[in-house]
């Protein structure tokens, strides 16, 4: 009777730890599918016939993310959270010159927000459980990158060309996000 | 000439001590005069210490540099600071921190990228004296920044308080210009009358605090938080009194359930004869400070409903997070809006059971294939969810079940009993700590195992062995027969050895008992000279050994004597014949 009890308790503990742990498979799946959705939506935003070559800009996406160096999973979540948050912030700015379909933009914002909420929950959970230290530098570089984009938009007065360049840049950042997601450990 | 020289020498010789004294006096004078002039310079080096405990203190858009000054006895000391960015190697004057008499200065007018790494240095100055520089380790303005208190505006309802939070910092620019919509707010609320019972909640910038009592004064304070690490200071305390209770309360306990292709929205309401109206909003709009009241949209089939539930199709909502609110109306008055219930479409998916197929393989095992159903339910934008499968496997006749939970879709159950039926069923699971979903079990599939490769090989081996063993068996049987024949049916043939040793016929006849009596013709010899042809007949029949009865009777005497005489006689005759 006791040994059965012990076995059941052990099984319960084992299963509860597996259940309580963050399901990284599910996270990876969610991130990939969110990224694909966002990219599809971005591509649906109409291009312009104007010649925007002169407005091109090198926003200098952070190298360490571009080269997909392997991050700790906490850093990874921070970085992806920042990317989803900031992309969402950018697309809430003045889009009047673009003539883009409002519904597509709303869907994009919705998808970005959805993924961001889930990442926030996971991050809060990790922070509760473990006392981890993370590298501020990567996050700072990422913030600098998005500041460059916002300053560019402001300087160009949210013109259609500026938005076209930014649209392309956001697509590029999702590409890097995909590569980074592949490195997420199991 | 000589005299002049000697005179000069004498005069110089006598004036020597006098010159020395004069020189000594002048030096002393210079030294005495010079000491107060020189000493301050030396003392200034020891008096003007560089500032200690230099600290950068940043709250929102206010940048303050603080330090411990030199000893208070030294007056008229000012401080100056410089800054340097990593890109530019030159030290620039820190605005607002030049010739400061206090021990702190405000350099908020510095126009710099808040994410840029900078270094500071500060020193004390008095007149032309300066202390050595004290260097501050490199930092970023954003990194050092702390979140200040947010501003709060309150509006009272009967059982709720509407709050409107203005994020800290300057709108549109400054430290939090990019992060203003990333803030999360934490609120503490308590009844003014009682000191205990403080409630803490996470709130949106524009939100409602529910479950309050009417006509009560509540006090609250709010702080902002920025992931990962920045926690701000609390705002000042704000107090407000809730209003008189409304006649019509709002609906409560809002729930959304999913069924196949529809959502069922349910709520609780105490009164009857009212109609209800349900609205939805994109949850992301709540994170943006500001008024969203015009952005709420009507949920289809949920306007002016009389029941405490309404049904609408799943495709109303794209994958995302939404807020739903309901209010009641009795024609004259309308209740306030209910609690805004968060609704995440992902949690409402219905997992459909997987499709399983089972095949028996040659080595008495069964292989199970699981494939996800093709229904769009199990997919998010055409991507199938990462599912775990729970497989239940049992022998058809018994009840003992084996359960496996795994992500793989291809399983083999080896080493089963041959020619036995086994059954399997499976269901799909999503295991996440917040979200446990499982489908119903799939249909049961049964399959019988094959007779087994090993018994076949044994059969073939047996057959071969049998074939090979036939000649062996025959040979053994033959030997056996011979043995038996030898034992039970012995041969009457003499061994060949006897033939060698006893080649003479008569002797042989003696030894071997023949069937027929041997007869000898006897002749009476009347004339010793004539030799009559003798006929001897003797038959030797090896097979028959017959004993002459007559001779046997008289065997004792007769045979002995006659035998010897016979033998002699026969010998003689033989000799005679041969001669």
């Amino acid at each position: 009777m006791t040994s059965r009890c012990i076995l059941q308790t052990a099984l319960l503990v084992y299963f509860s730890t597996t259940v309580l742990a963050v399901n990284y498979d599910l996270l990876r799946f969610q991130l990939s599918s969110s990224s694909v959705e966002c990219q599809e939506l971005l591509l649906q935003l109409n291009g312009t016939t104007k010649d925007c070559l002169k407005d091109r800009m090198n926003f200098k996406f952070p190298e360490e993310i571009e080269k997909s160096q392997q991050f700790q999973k906490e850093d990874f979540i921070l970085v992806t959270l920042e990317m989803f948050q900031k992309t969402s912030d950018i697309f809430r700015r003045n889009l009047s010159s673009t003539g883009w379909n409002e519904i597509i933009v709303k869907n994009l914002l919705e998808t970005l927000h959805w993924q961001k909420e889930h990442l926030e929950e996971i991050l809060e959970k990790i922070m509760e459980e473990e006392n981890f230290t993370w590298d501020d530098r990567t996050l700072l570089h990422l913030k600098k990158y998005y500041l460059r984009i916002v300053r560019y938009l402001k300087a160009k007065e949210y013109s259609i060309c500026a938005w076209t360049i930014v649209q392309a840049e956001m697509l590029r950042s999702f590409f890097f996000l995909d590569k980074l997601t592949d490195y997420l450990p199991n | 000439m000589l005299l002049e020289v000697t005179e000069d020498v004498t005069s110089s010789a006598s004036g020597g001590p006098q010159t020395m004294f004069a020189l000594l006096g002048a030096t002393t004078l210079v030294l005495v005069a010079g000491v107060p002039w020189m000493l301050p310079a030396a003392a200034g080096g020891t008096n003007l210490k560089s500032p200690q405990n230099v600290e950068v203190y940043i709250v929102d858009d206010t940048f303050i540099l603080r330090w411990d000054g030199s000893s208070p006895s030294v007056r008229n000391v000012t401080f100056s600071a410089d800054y340097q960015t990593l890109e530019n190697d030159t030290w620039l004057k820190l605005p607002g921190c030049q010739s400061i008499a206090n021990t702190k200065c405000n350099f908020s007018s510095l126009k710099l990228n808040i994410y840029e790494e900078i270094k500071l240095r500060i020193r004390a100055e008095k007149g032309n004296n300066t202390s050595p520089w004290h260097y501050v380790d490199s930092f970023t303005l954003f990194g050092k920044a702390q979140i200040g208190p947010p501003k709060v505006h309150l509006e009272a309802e009967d059982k709720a308080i509407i709050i409107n939070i203005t994020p800290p910092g300057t709108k549109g620019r400054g430290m939090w210009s990019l992060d203003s919509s990333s803030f999360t707010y934490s609120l503490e609320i308590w009844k003014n009358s009682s000191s205990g019972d403080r409630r803490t909640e996470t709130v949106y910038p524009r939100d409602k605090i529910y479950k309050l009592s009417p006509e009560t004064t509540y006090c609250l304070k709010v702080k902002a938080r920025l992931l990962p690490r920045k926690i701000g200071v609390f705002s000042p305390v704000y107090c407000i009194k809730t209003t008189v209770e409304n006649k019509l309360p709002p609906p409560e306990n809002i729930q959304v359930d999913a069924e196949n292709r529809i959502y069922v929205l349910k709520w609780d309401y105490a009164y009857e004869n009212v109609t209800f109206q349900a609205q939805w909003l994109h949850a992301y709009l709540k994170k943006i400070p500001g008024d969203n009241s015009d952005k709420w949209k009507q949920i289809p089939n949920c306007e002016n409903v009389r029941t405490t539930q309404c049904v609408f199709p799943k495709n109303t909502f794209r994958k995302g997070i939404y807020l739903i609110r309901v209010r009641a109306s009795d024609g004259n008055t309308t209740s306030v809006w209910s609690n805004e219930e968060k609704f995440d479409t992902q949690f409402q998916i219905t997992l459909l059971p997987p499709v399983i197929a089972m095949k028996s393989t040659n080595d008495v095992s069964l292989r199970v294939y699981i494939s996800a159903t093709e229904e769009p339910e199990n997919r998010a934008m055409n991507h199938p969810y990462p599912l775990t499968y729970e497989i239940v496997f049992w022998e058809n006749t018994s009840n003992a079940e084996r359960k496996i939970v795994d992500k793989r879709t291809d399983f083999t159950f080896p080493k089963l009993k041959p020619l036995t039926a086994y059954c399997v069923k499976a269901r799909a699971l999503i295991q996440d700590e917040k979200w446990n979903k499982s489908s119903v079990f799939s249909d049961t599939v049964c399959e019988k195992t094959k007779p087994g490769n090993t018994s076949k090989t044994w059969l073939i081996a047996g057959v071969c062995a049998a074939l090979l063993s036939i000649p062996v068996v025959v040979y053994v049987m033959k030997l056996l027969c011979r043995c038996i024949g030898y034992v039970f049916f012995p041969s009457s043939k003499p061994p060949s050895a006897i033939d060698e040793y006893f080649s003479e016929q008569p002797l042989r006849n003696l030894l071997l008992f023949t069937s027929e009596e041997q007869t000898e013709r006897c002749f009476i010899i009347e004339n010793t000279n004539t030799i009559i042809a003798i006929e001897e007949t003797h038959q030797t029949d090896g097979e028959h050994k017959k004993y002459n009865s007559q001779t046997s009777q008289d065997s004792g005497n007769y045979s002995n004597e006659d035998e010897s005489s016979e033998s002699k006689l026969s010998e003689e005759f033989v000799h005679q014949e041969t001669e």
Side-chain angles (χ1 to χ4, degrees):
Chain A
M1 199 59 184
T2 359
S3 59
R4 201 166 134 215
C5 222
I6 292 169
L7 177 68
Q8 282 176 348
T9 320
L11 279 172
L12 180 69
V13 167
Y14 171 72
F15 281 116
S16 57
T17 48
T18 49
V19 163
L20 285 174
V22 176
N23 185 346
Y24 281 101
D25 269 348
L26 189 63
L27 175 66
R28 195 192 285 110
F29 163 78
Q30 285 176 349
L31 279 169
S32 318
S33 59
S34 294
S35 173
V36 164
E37 282 175 49
C38 290
Q39 290 176 65
E40 284 177 1
L41 287 163
L42 279 169
L43 286 168
Q44 284 175 37
L45 298 169
N46 306 347
T48 175
T49 48
K50 276 177 94 174
D51 176 21
C52 296
L53 284 176
K54 57 176 167 41
D55 285 326
R56 275 178 309 169
M57 169 82 163
N58 179 9
F59 295 107
K60 295 183 209 150
F61 191 80
E63 262 188 14
E64 57 266 46
I65 306 175
E66 187 177 329
K67 292 187 179 153
S68 296
Q69 284 172 13
Q70 206 150 357
F71 290 106
Q72 263 191 306
K73 51 184 196 272
E74 296 87 4
D75 288 323
F76 170 83
I77 292 177
L78 272 171
V79 163
T80 45
L81 176 60
E82 190 71 19
M83 288 178 78
F84 278 99
Q85 173 71 58
K86 289 297 189 294
T87 310
S88 173
D89 285 347
I90 285 171
F91 279 95
R92 270 199 264 107
R93 292 175 178 264
N94 184 357
L95 289 167
S96 52
S97 68
T98 57
W100 283 338
N101 188 339
E102 266 182 36
I103 297 176
I104 298 176
V105 176
K106 277 201 185 133
N107 289 344
L108 177 64
L109 290 174
E110 181 63 64
T111 312
L112 290 165
H113 176 255
W114 183 90
Q115 187 58 71
K116 186 188 66 86
E117 286 281 308
H118 282 269
L119 283 167
E120 258 180 27
E121 282 166 6
I122 292 176
L123 187 66
E124 300 235 13
K125 194 188 172 308
I126 291 177
M127 284 170 67
E128 258 174 58
E129 282 183 353
E130 309 157 19
N131 264 335
F132 73 100
T133 51
W134 56 88
D135 187 10
D136 269 337
R137 219 171 307 149
T138 314
L139 210 58
L140 268 171
H141 291 165
L142 202 55
K143 284 183 188 280
K144 262 202 239 180
Y145 165 75
Y146 285 109
L147 183 62
R148 280 191 281 270
I149 295 177
V150 169
R151 280 185 173 171
Y152 167 83
L153 280 169
K154 281 187 184 166
K156 297 280 179 186
E157 292 174 346
Y158 298 98
S159 67
I160 175 94
C161 272
W163 274 115
T164 311
I165 302 289
V166 169
Q167 174 194 13
E169 186 65 30
M170 293 295 97
L171 270 165
R172 197 163 156 258
S173 69
F174 274 111
F175 168 71
F176 294 130
L177 180 75
D178 286 341
K179 281 214 298 179
L180 204 61
T181 312
D182 286 339
Y183 282 109
L184 190 62
N186 278 320
Chain B
M1 276 293 260
L2 268 168
L3 265 173
E4 282 174 14
V5 169
T6 47
E7 266 182 18
D8 279 342
V9 168
T10 341
S11 63
S12 66
S14 60
Q18 281 177 10
T19 329
M20 260 177 69
F21 276 124
L23 206 62
L24 206 65
T27 322
T28 324
L29 213 73
V30 164
L31 277 170
V32 167
V35 157
W37 173 72
M38 272 170 61
L39 267 179
T46 51
N47 270 349
L48 269 181
K49 279 190 216 165
S50 51
Q52 299 298 311
N53 292 336
V54 184
E55 187 200 11
V56 176
Y57 177 71
I58 300 177
V59 174
D60 291 343
D61 299 314
T62 310
F63 314 151
I64 307 252
L65 190 62
R66 295 197 288 225
W67 60 91
D68 289 345
S70 351
S71 45
S73 58
V74 182
R75 291 174 294 147
N76 293 337
V77 176
T78 57
F79 302 90
S80 291
D82 292 341
Y83 75 97
Q84 181 193 53
T85 57
L86 278 182
E87 298 158 344
N88 208 352
D89 257 343
T90 56
W91 286 98
L92 304 168
K93 290 199 188 302
L94 195 63
C97 288
Q98 301 303 308
S99 306
I100 301 292
N102 301 338
T103 55
K104 70 173 187 184
C105 68
N106 183 329
F107 60 99
S108 311
S109 50
L110 179 64
K111 292 278 173 274
L112 201 66
N113 187 338
I114 54 173
Y115 306 116
E116 199 74 60
E117 291 226 5
I118 61 169
K119 269 201 241 184
L120 292 184
R121 66 180 185 181
I122 184 170
R123 69 177 175 188
E125 291 162 344
K126 184 167 179 177
N128 280 340
N129 295 346
T130 56
S131 73
W133 288 107
H134 182 285
Y135 292 91
V136 177
D137 289 334
S138 74
F139 64 96
T140 63
L141 293 170
F142 182 83
K144 286 269 184 192
Q146 293 174 42
I147 307 176
K151 288 192 230 20
V152 182
H153 176 77
L154 300 176
E155 245 179 75
E157 280 186 2
D158 60 337
K159 287 185 186 162
I161 294 174
I162 300 172
I163 59 169
N164 198 348
I165 303 174
T166 312
T170 325
K171 186 177 176 180
R173 56 189 175 84
M175 186 60 66
W176 316 119
S177 58
L178 285 194
D179 293 298
S180 56
S181 45
S182 313
F183 283 126
T184 51
Y185 299 97
S186 173
L187 169 139
E188 233 178 79
I189 186 168
W190 62 95
K191 279 191 195 163
N192 198 14
S193 47
S194 65
S195 52
D197 255 6
R198 288 188 174 214
R199 210 168 92 189
T200 310
E201 273 183 36
T202 309
V203 291
Y204 288 118
R206 198 177 161 79
D207 211 341
K208 256 204 223 179
I209 305 139
Y210 298 96
K211 297 192 186 127
L212 303 177
S213 319
E215 291 184 280
T216 321
T217 308
Y218 285 93
C219 292
L220 53 87
K221 55 182 183 177
V222 181
K223 68 178 177 191
R225 195 171 151 226
L226 194 62
L227 284 171
R229 232 191 309 194
K230 292 195 190 292
I231 301 179
V233 292
F234 269 114
S235 69
V237 176
Y238 297 87
C239 296
I240 193 166
K241 188 174 178 183
T242 47
T243 61
V244 176
E245 189 168 351
N246 280 351
K247 275 195 292 176
L248 270 185
E252 283 179 355
N253 207 10
I254 298 174
Q255 276 179 332
V256 184
D257 291 321
E259 271 175 37
N260 290 336
R261 294 182 194 281
I262 53 161
Y263 288 124
V264 179
L265 175 63
K266 288 186 222 170
W267 57 88
D268 294 339
Y269 203 68
Y271 303 112
E272 292 176 1
N273 285 334
V274 286
T275 57
F276 300 98
Q277 182 191 18
Q279 290 186 339
W280 67 272
L281 179 76
H282 285 289
Y284 71 81
L285 289 171
K286 288 289 270 190
K287 291 282 269 184
I288 309 167
D291 190 8
N292 308 315
S293 49
D294 56 339
K295 304 218 175 73
W296 286 91
K297 295 201 183 69
Q298 189 57 46
I299 299 179
N301 307 337
C302 294
E303 193 166 11
N304 287 333
V305 289
R306 290 202 161 268
T307 51
T308 56
Q309 68 169 54
C310 63
V311 164
F312 52 94
K314 269 192 179 173
N315 56 20
T316 316
F317 291 116
R318 205 178 161 275
K319 170 184 136 177
I321 304 177
Y322 302 90
L323 295 166
I324 293 181
R325 65 181 188 182
V326 187
R327 72 176 169 187
S329 163
D330 68 354
N332 292 333
T333 48
T334 337
S335 73
V336 289
W337 286 106
S338 69
N339 203 359
E340 285 160 14
E341 189 66 28
K342 192 166 158 188
F343 167 51
D344 189 334
T345 54
Q346 188 193 241
F347 294 158
Q348 300 298 342
I349 59 163
T350 316
L351 269 186
L352 293 175
V355 176
I356 43 173
M358 186 153 71
K359 272 196 212 163
S360 61
T361 54
N362 286 332
D363 55 348
V364 201
S365 43
L366 288 169
R367 202 157 163 197
V368 179
Y369 300 93
I370 302 177
S371 54
T373 177
E374 281 304 308
E375 287 292 310
E377 285 293 328
N378 281 24
R379 289 161 180 265
M381 285 287 285
N382 287 331
H383 295 114
Y385 276 94
L387 300 170
T388 317
Y389 297 101
E390 185 187 329
I391 300 149
V392 181
F393 184 77
W394 69 98
E395 204 182 313
N396 201 9
T397 47
S398 83
N399 273 334
E401 290 181 345
R402 250 199 274 180
K403 267 191 198 173
I404 299 176
V405 177
D406 204 322
K407 287 183 243 177
R408 292 175 296 152
T409 54
D410 190 351
F411 291 88
T412 308
F413 292 98
K415 297 180 191 163
L416 301 170
K417 296 187 215 168
L419 292 170
T420 324
Y422 289 89
C423 294
V424 72
K425 65 179 181 183
R427 64 177 176 175
L429 303 171
I430 292 181
Q431 287 171 323
D432 186 40
E433 56 141 20
K434 285 186 58 188
W435 186 33
N436 267 328
K437 269 256 170 227
S438 60
S439 70
V440 294
F441 271 108
S442 64
D443 296 330
T444 306
V445 171
C446 295
E447 189 75 28
K448 215 172 181 182
T449 48
K450 288 201 175 155
N453 225 358
T454 45
S455 56
K456 267 195 200 157
T457 39
W458 279 122
L459 197 69
I460 294 168
V463 165
C464 285
L467 285 171
L468 284 171
S469 63
I470 285 173
V472 172
V473 165
V474 165
Y475 180 68
V476 165
M477 286 299 290
K478 254 185 127 174
L479 272 179
L480 209 63
C481 283
R482 239 193 251 175
C483 231
I484 291 168
Y486 180 77
V487 170
F488 292 106
F489 308 103
S491 160
S492 52
K493 220 181 174 180
S496 50
I498 289 183
D499 272 334
E500 279 176 40
Y501 288 106
F502 305 107
S503 49
E504 292 172 15
Q505 196 61 32
L507 209 55
R508 281 180 78 197
N509 289 340
L510 277 175
L511 286 173
L512 301 171
F513 301 103
T514 56
S515 55
E516 276 188 35
E517 199 178 299
Q518 288 190 13
T519 51
E520 280 183 11
R521 278 183 87 185
C522 293
F523 297 93
I524 298 164
I525 303 167
E526 291 172 3
N527 195 352
T528 51
N529 292 329
T530 53
I531 297 168
I532 300 165
I534 301 164
E535 282 183 41
E536 276 186 44
T537 57
H538 63 268
Q539 285 183 1
T540 49
D541 192 351
E543 302 303 319
H544 296 282
K545 294 167 179 123
K546 231 176 177 182
Y547 202 84
N548 197 339
S549 58
Q550 272 191 332
T551 48
S552 66
Q553 272 176 5
D554 304 326
S555 66
N557 292 330
Y558 180 73
S559 58
N560 279 340
E561 284 173 26
D562 283 356
E563 259 191 285
S564 54
S565 60
E566 264 190 36
S567 64
K568 275 184 189 165
L569 277 170
S570 59
E571 270 186 347
E572 275 179 31
F573 280 125
V574 168
H575 279 302
Q576 280 180 0
E577 274 185 24
T578 50
E579 279 174 16

